[in-house]
Amino acid sequence: MVIVNCLLKCWRKCLLEHNSPSDFYVSCWQSSHLSWPLLLLRSILFLYSMTVLAVSVALDPYICYRFIYFTHWGFLAIVLETGFSTAISAYAHFKRPIDATFGLPWYVKTYWVLYNVTIPVAFLITVFYWGILKTSGKIQKYAPNPVLDVMLHGGNSVAMLMELVLSAHPSRLLHILQPLLFALAYLLFTVAYYFAGGLDPWGNAFIYPVIDWSKPQQTVIVVALTALFLTLMHLVVVAIASTRDAICRRFRNTPGIYNDGFGDES
């Protein structure tokens, strides 16, 4: 029975259910249930991400190759995440509070998945780009515009860090499956693209020089290390969420349910 109970607890942690729906549209830093402050901040993030996306598309000299890159997969996810978060806050503010009597609505669950995916992926992209691609000596090829370069590979993490710090809903350890599946989908795309004879804009038979399927052993090592680092980024997200809620709890001096990433809700 002990094993069964443990398995059931783990399974519940994998699910997208939370018994306080207001946590998805009220910041943990607020002492009331006002939804407009977070709506305003999320609207700014959504406007920022939409602007960066639009400008980057307009100025992209390799538009046909745009979505072979993980950066653009991740940034499109950010646009969707900020869009859903803004819509949820707007719905709660202008229409009515979200009812979770029969479980969280599909749009809240969709937002939660996007939230779980985009934050660690954004951190991964920033570190991977500046720490690995930059040192490869080919960074100039990926950065035709230096300002957009920073916005896409640095501003992405800043925006998602703000989303993380200002939110109130939990980040759970077992939700690591979601960003890993997102990364796996991209990995399978790179394999299919390689075997289909796909090239990068400069005629190379790889998308990134460190992920070259003509060198499978080297690539598998890079992929494995990247998966480990993505897992680490998710652990960092859970730790930040737990610290955020602990500070909010102390600052507001109120009891309640806080991030349940390391334990059960009670």
Side-chain angles (χ1 to χ4, degrees):
M1 287 300 295
V2 174
I3 296 177
V4 172
N5 288 334
C6 289
L7 291 175
L8 288 174
K9 288 181 180 179
C10 289
W11 172 247
R12 284 195 294 268
K13 289 299 179 184
C14 290
L15 297 177
L16 294 165
E17 293 298 344
H18 184 57
N19 59 12
S20 182
S22 64
D23 286 348
F24 291 91
Y25 54 85
V26 176
S27 175
C28 73
W29 301 98
Q30 297 172 227
S31 58
S32 66
H33 288 286
L34 294 176
S35 57
W36 70 263
L38 191 58
L39 170 59
L40 176 61
L41 292 167
R42 284 176 166 177
S43 298
I44 293 172
L45 291 178
F46 180 53
L47 180 61
Y48 166 80
S49 61
M50 281 294 294
T51 301
V52 173
L53 177 65
V55 173
S56 66
V57 168
L59 299 181
D60 193 345
Y62 311 111
I63 190 67
C64 294
Y65 296 90
R66 183 174 185 82
F67 285 105
I68 69 173
Y69 295 107
F70 193 53
T71 291
H72 299 305
W73 282 46
F75 204 86
L76 181 59
I78 288 175
V79 173
L80 293 173
E81 192 273 351
T82 54
F84 268 89
S85 67
T86 303
I88 289 168
S89 291
Y91 180 90
H93 179 70
F94 292 108
K95 196 168 184 179
R96 62 175 180 269
I98 293 174
D99 181 19
T101 303
F102 301 103
L104 293 172
W106 68 267
Y107 49 87
V108 176
K109 291 183 178 181
T110 300
Y111 157 67
W112 200 357
V113 170
L114 289 168
Y115 173 95
N116 290 333
V117 168
T118 53
I119 298 176
V121 165
F123 295 167
L124 170 69
I125 288 172
T126 297
V127 175
F128 183 87
Y129 186 77
W130 296 108
I132 298 179
L133 284 182
K134 186 175 182 180
T135 59
S136 72
K138 299 182 180 181
I139 192 71
Q140 68 279 0
K141 290 187 176 182
Y142 301 95
N145 185 294
V147 175
L148 281 176
D149 186 37
V150 174
M151 294 298 98
L152 290 169
H153 303 100
N156 61 334
S157 289
V158 173
M160 289 298 95
L161 181 61
M162 291 179 64
E163 175 77 8
L164 171 62
V165 172
L166 294 171
S167 297
H169 57 276
S171 295
R172 295 174 177 164
L173 286 173
L174 291 181
H175 283 172
I176 180 57
L177 296 175
Q178 294 165 17
L180 285 178
L181 287 174
F182 182 81
L184 177 61
Y186 179 76
L187 178 64
L188 294 176
F189 166 77
T190 66
V191 174
Y193 192 76
Y194 171 75
F195 284 103
L199 305 174
D200 76 350
W202 305 279
N204 298 308
F206 53 76
I207 297 175
Y208 294 107
V210 294
I211 303 179
D212 184 355
W213 290 108
S214 66
K215 304 173 183 177
Q217 292 182 335
Q218 168 189 301
T219 300
V220 168
I221 293 174
V222 171
V223 167
L225 292 175
T226 302
L228 289 174
F229 189 77
L230 180 57
T231 301
L232 175 61
M233 290 298 96
H234 181 74
L235 293 176
V236 169
V237 169
V238 173
I240 292 174
S242 297
T243 303
R244 170 202 72 194
D245 293 339
I247 294 173
C248 288
R249 183 178 183 177
R250 185 177 183 85
F251 176 75
R252 291 166 54 184
N253 193 28
T254 56
I257 298 172
Y258 294 86
N259 187 57
D260 59 347
F262 294 106
D264 293 327
E265 292 180 290
S266 58

